[in-house]
Amino acid sequence: MTQARVRVLTREGCHLCDDALAVVARVCDELGVGWEDVDIDEDPQLREAYTDQVPVTFVDGQQHDFWRVDERRLRDALSGR
């Protein structure tokens, strides 16, 4: 199993989260990069810290985006550009 380089904080019923997950899945699958989806409502600390920002995307442990995922920017970050 590939280690997750991309982490997406989401919550159920969030249409922006669904959009972000579609972009992340497509890009990561094409590049062979591991990713994970974390529901912030299952973790009180994450919910408190990020409730107004979901979806929040992290690349290699650093916050990359929130609300929307720019496909080109994500590709560049994962490719080291």
Side-chain angles (χ1 to χ4, degrees), residues 3 11-12 16-17 19 21-23 26 29-30 33 40 49 55-57 61-62 66 68 73:
Q3 183 176 2
R11 69 169 18 121
E12 269 194 55
L16 291 177
C17 298
D19 294 346
L21 289 172
V23 172
R26 180 173 55 251
D29 290 349
E30 286 175 12
V33 173
I40 67 166
V56 183
T57 308
Q62 300 295 315
F66 64 97
R68 304 218 184 267
R73 199 165 162 273

Side-chain angles (χ1 to χ4, degrees), residues 6 11 19 39 65 72 77:
V6 178
R11 69 169 18 121
D19 294 346
D39 185 337
D65 269 323
R72 182 174 181 207

Side-chain angles (χ1 to χ4, degrees), residues 7-37:
R7 185 178 202 212
V8 186
L9 304 183
T10 64
R11 69 169 18 121
E12 269 194 55
C14 167
H15 73 280
L16 291 177
C17 298
D18 295 338
D19 294 346
L21 289 172
V23 172
V24 168
R26 180 173 55 251
V27 171
C28 289
D29 290 349
E30 286 175 12
L31 297 177
V33 173
W35 66 279
E36 65 181 345
D37 171 14

Side-chain angles (χ1 to χ4, degrees), residues 10 12-14 42 48 53-55 62 74:
T10 64
E12 269 194 55
C14 167
E42 294 181 10
E48 183 176 332
Q53 296 179 21
V54 292
Q62 300 295 315
L74 179 60

